[in-house]
Amino acid sequence: MKKRSYIFALAALTASLMLAGCNDKKQDSAESTENADAENAGESSEKSEEDPDNPLDFNPSDYVKLGDYKGLEVTYPAVLAVKDEDVKTEIEYALDDNTEYREVKDRGAQDGDSINIDFKGTIDGEEFEGGSAEEYELELGAGEFLEAFEENLIGKKAGENVVFKMTFPEEYDDELVGKEAEFTVTVNSISEAVRPEYNAEFVKSISDYKTVEEYEASIRAQLEEDAKYDSESEAGENSLALAIENAVVEGYPQKLYDYFYEDTVTGYKNYAELMGMEYEEFLEGFMTEEDIKAATEEQVNEYLVVQAILVNEGQEVSDSEYKKLAEQMAKDNEYETLKEYEEDFGEVYTKTQVAREKVIDLLYKSAKLKEVPYDEYYGEEEEESADEDSEAESEDEE
């Protein structure tokens, strides 16, 4: 099935969907969900000392038998070298971010302009889902709408109406492929991009630097820091993945499953909303209930192993440590305060991430790290992904 795109967008969804951490979670504890599969409930702990309403209150030894998790041989990508073009790309981003739009009335629309339009699309005289909108802001030439749609607006002035027909191409939605639609479009306004000139004045207006040389040096330093962080993060993630792979997990606390299930569903619902889609439509086009359960169980198993390692090491996240690590997490995500971060993501979610980071740090420090050239490392990942896709296709055919 071809991926369903909103209105005329051709860009596919990103390969990695957010399984958790979307904004507006605001769930400190998840309640039991009807969609949790009772058959996969595992062995729920019934110990009286556990808080039945706290999804994080359980004894990990009831569910996890740890394997080797320290001193593991872990491969990771070498730090990616920062090139001049990488710095130039960041400069272009800064110029784009500071580009302003000025309304024009003395000419027709052209590529690069932002136009405000009302449009209505019909097929066989009937409006179709996603084919109509009012006061829609469209940047011409950005690839947001199909070219066949945008080319009918080039040269049109503010206040003009245009009626045209177009046929949806094969790379579009299955339900619309090959169908002819008629669109009525009103151009409400046209604004041209006013892009700033890159010079010392621009640099001083957006940063604390006085020269382009200082500014570019700061960009390079930040990119190098980011590249180092990415390399170390991959090593840490691989350390945790190996520890989970070596562990045996049997069952799980139902409350923990329920929390992660609703957390996962909330993330997907928010993602669907960002794509302008109903959640049911998102499920129909991209995944199944079984996919959601699998994603949930993956998170549950990971957290169970994380807690088992902490207990086995005789460690826990103290209140002061939680505050310190969580505040840094909030800062890294551009929140001014931990309170604001917890309001959006929930205290439970924050606690799971703090515990996760603590264990990753422990595993990373004990691992036997093996650096692999950047291109070679990610080349291997791409090959593995291709092999997995091929196997999945073969299973579908069977």
Side-chain angles (χ1 to χ4, degrees), residues 6-7 119-122 127-134 183:
Y6 177 62
I7 310 178
F119 64 90
K120 182 174 72 173
T122 61
E127 290 190 45
F128 59 93
E129 183 179 359
S132 302
E134 293 183 354
F183 290 95

Side-chain angles (χ1 to χ4, degrees), residues 28 170 189 219 362 371:
D28 288 345
E170 291 187 3
S189 64
I219 292 177
L362 183 155
E371 183 179 277

Side-chain angles (χ1 to χ4, degrees), residues 162-215:
V162 58
V163 179
F164 59 88
K165 294 181 179 180
M166 58 166 279
T167 301
F168 288 98
E170 291 187 3
E171 62 267 27
Y172 201 67
D173 185 279
D174 282 346
E175 296 178 10
L176 298 176
V177 168
K179 292 185 177 180
E180 183 180 71
E182 180 175 275
F183 290 95
T184 300
V185 182
T186 299
V187 179
N188 299 319
S189 64
I190 302 170
S191 297
E192 65 180 357
V194 181
R195 188 178 174 85
E197 183 179 350
Y198 180 60
N199 52 29
E201 290 303 314
F202 171 73
V203 167
K204 285 188 282 188
S205 72
I206 65 167
S207 72
D208 295 329
Y209 302 101
K210 297 181 179 180
T211 68
V212 295
E213 290 78 15
E214 291 174 345
Y215 177 61

Side-chain angles (χ1 to χ4, degrees), residues 126-294:
E126 299 291 333
E127 290 190 45
F128 59 93
E129 183 179 359
S132 302
E134 293 183 354
E135 296 188 355
Y136 190 94
E137 293 289 340
L138 172 65
E139 182 181 346
L140 293 175
E144 184 179 357
F145 280 15
L146 291 173
E147 184 178 351
F149 182 93
E150 291 191 9
E151 65 184 12
N152 286 280
L153 305 179
I154 298 296
K156 299 299 183 291
K157 293 183 178 181
E160 283 194 57
N161 298 317
V162 58
V163 179
F164 59 88
K165 294 181 179 180
M166 58 166 279
T167 301
F168 288 98
E170 291 187 3
E171 62 267 27
Y172 201 67
D173 185 279
D174 282 346
E175 296 178 10
L176 298 176
V177 168
K179 292 185 177 180
E180 183 180 71
E182 180 175 275
F183 290 95
T184 300
V185 182
T186 299
V187 179
N188 299 319
S189 64
I190 302 170
S191 297
E192 65 180 357
V194 181
R195 188 178 174 85
E197 183 179 350
Y198 180 60
N199 52 29
E201 290 303 314
F202 171 73
V203 167
K204 285 188 282 188
S205 72
I206 65 167
S207 72
D208 295 329
Y209 302 101
K210 297 181 179 180
T211 68
V212 295
E213 290 78 15
E214 291 174 345
Y215 177 61
E216 290 175 11
S218 73
I219 292 177
R220 184 178 295 276
Q222 184 61 57
L223 288 174
E224 290 173 345
E225 182 179 333
D226 292 344
K228 181 181 178 183
Y229 174 82
D230 290 343
S231 176
E232 292 175 350
S233 293
E234 187 71 7
E237 291 293 335
N238 290 345
S239 299
L240 178 57
L242 284 175
I244 296 171
E245 185 178 324
N246 291 339
V248 176
V249 180
E250 296 182 348
Y252 45 72
Q254 187 62 42
K255 283 290 183 181
L256 184 68
Y257 178 93
D258 292 343
Y259 168 76
F260 277 115
Y261 178 90
E262 293 206 2
D263 184 69
T264 300
V265 170
T266 298
Y268 282 131
K269 283 183 176 179
N270 289 335
Y271 194 86
E273 185 178 350
L274 286 174
M275 296 300 297
M277 303 168 66
E278 294 295 329
Y279 179 61
E280 292 72 17
E281 181 184 9
F282 173 83
L283 290 181
E284 180 183 346
F286 295 102
M287 61 194 327
T288 66
E289 177 66 22
E290 292 306 313
D291 292 329
I292 292 177
K293 290 178 180 178

Side-chain angles (χ1 to χ4, degrees), residues 92-112:
E92 289 299 313
Y93 288 154
L95 291 171
D96 287 342
D97 288 342
N98 288 275
T99 293
E100 298 179 349
Y101 286 88
R102 179 174 58 205
E103 187 172 356
V104 295
K105 299 181 179 180
D106 58 349
R107 65 167 175 79
Q110 59 189 31
D111 275 349

Side-chain angles (χ1 to χ4, degrees), residues 8-37:
F8 310 113
L10 289 176
L13 287 174
T14 52
S16 57
L17 297 178
M18 296 172 285
L19 299 182
C22 290
N23 286 335
D24 300 322
K25 286 183 180 176
K26 297 181 180 177
Q27 45 185 346
D28 288 345
S29 63
E31 297 180 358
S32 179
T33 174
E34 296 178 357
N35 294 314
D37 192 342

